[in-house]
Amino acid sequence: MAARDLQERIKKLIVDRRLASGAPLPTEPELMEFLGASRNSVREALKALQAMGIVEIRHGFGTYVGSMSLAPMIEGLAFRTVAGHYRGEDSLLQLLELREAVETGLVSRLAGRLPAADLVELQSLVDRMEQQAAEGVGLAETDRAFHATLYRGLDNVLLSEVLEAFWDAFHRVQQDLVDVPQDPQVTCRQHREILDAVRSGDSLRAEEAIGDHFGNIRTRLSTTAPQGPHRCHNARV
């Protein structure tokens, strides 16, 4: 039986039995009997599924349904972007455009609809960002928290994870490939404008604020020469 077929049958088993993350899978002998496959074939199929985050092999304990995180997607996006960069492609800009397309399409849905608690948290994050900028402290984590909190209002776990995956891949690659200078005051002003637009309920203004934010990032990337692949920076966009 082809390795791909075994993987698909194990995934079908998880779905058919409605097994949640962390639930134990049948033992190796049970899987061999169920699948009609050899021990080596079953092990290879499980290893492949583990690489995808679908199963988790705990040596000495058994095999369990994995967390099914988007970590493999992040790794794939990051590697694809780096490989494209060294082939002379604008792969980092392409990944940025993917982020922009998703966020621009979502932000108008949030205008005037965010819970009061989320607005308070976003306000606190912008205030903190401005304080950090004044103190010369990096804005990385506060910037990330702002975007995560903004789209949390859509109450869509999968969407939040996808946006986090785009963020992780983009910034991992950006830090390694290019030194992107930024004006912290501009970054703070743009995030405050996004917040004000969403809070006002003006969907068009919210889209424009996101567009301005990503347009600024695109301009900075387009005018920055690539650096060596092993340099790391604390630029955040």
Side-chain angles (χ1 to χ4, degrees), residues 73-222:
M73 174 183 171
I74 296 170
E75 292 295 332
L77 277 173
F79 180 77
R80 180 188 178 119
T81 303
V82 170
H85 174 84
Y86 284 108
R87 290 194 300 267
E89 301 171 4
D90 291 331
S91 53
L92 190 57
L93 280 170
Q94 291 172 12
L95 185 53
L96 175 68
E97 288 173 355
L98 179 59
R99 275 187 59 196
E100 180 181 8
V102 174
E103 293 200 30
T104 301
L106 293 173
V107 72
S108 62
R109 294 171 53 190
L110 295 169
R113 300 178 184 176
L114 279 186
D118 286 357
L119 289 172
V120 169
E121 186 172 346
L122 287 167
Q123 180 67 60
S124 176
L125 287 167
V126 172
D127 291 343
R128 187 190 311 166
M129 196 179 294
E130 291 174 341
Q131 181 178 355
Q132 290 171 330
E135 297 172 351
V137 177
L139 309 180
E141 294 308 315
T142 310
D143 191 342
R144 182 185 189 119
F146 178 92
H147 286 262
T149 303
L150 179 63
Y151 297 107
R152 186 175 65 197
L154 293 171
D155 195 25
N156 185 321
V157 175
L158 179 59
L159 180 58
S160 296
E161 290 182 0
V162 169
L163 289 171
E164 284 282 294
F166 290 164
W167 177 283
D168 278 345
F170 179 83
H171 286 290
R172 182 184 307 178
V173 176
Q174 176 241 308
Q175 285 182 327
D176 287 346
L177 294 182
V178 294
D179 186 1
V180 183
Q182 69 168 330
D183 182 339
Q185 299 303 325
V186 171
T187 300
C188 293
R189 185 171 67 251
Q190 290 179 334
H191 284 81
R192 182 170 291 283
E193 173 60 20
I194 293 169
L195 171 59
D196 290 346
V198 170
R199 181 164 42 201
S200 73
D202 188 334
S203 59
L204 181 58
R205 180 184 169 194
E207 288 184 10
E208 291 175 346
I210 284 287
D212 288 344
H213 178 46
F214 279 99
N216 179 48
I217 302 168
R218 187 185 302 105
T219 299
R220 286 154 48 202
L221 282 178
S222 299

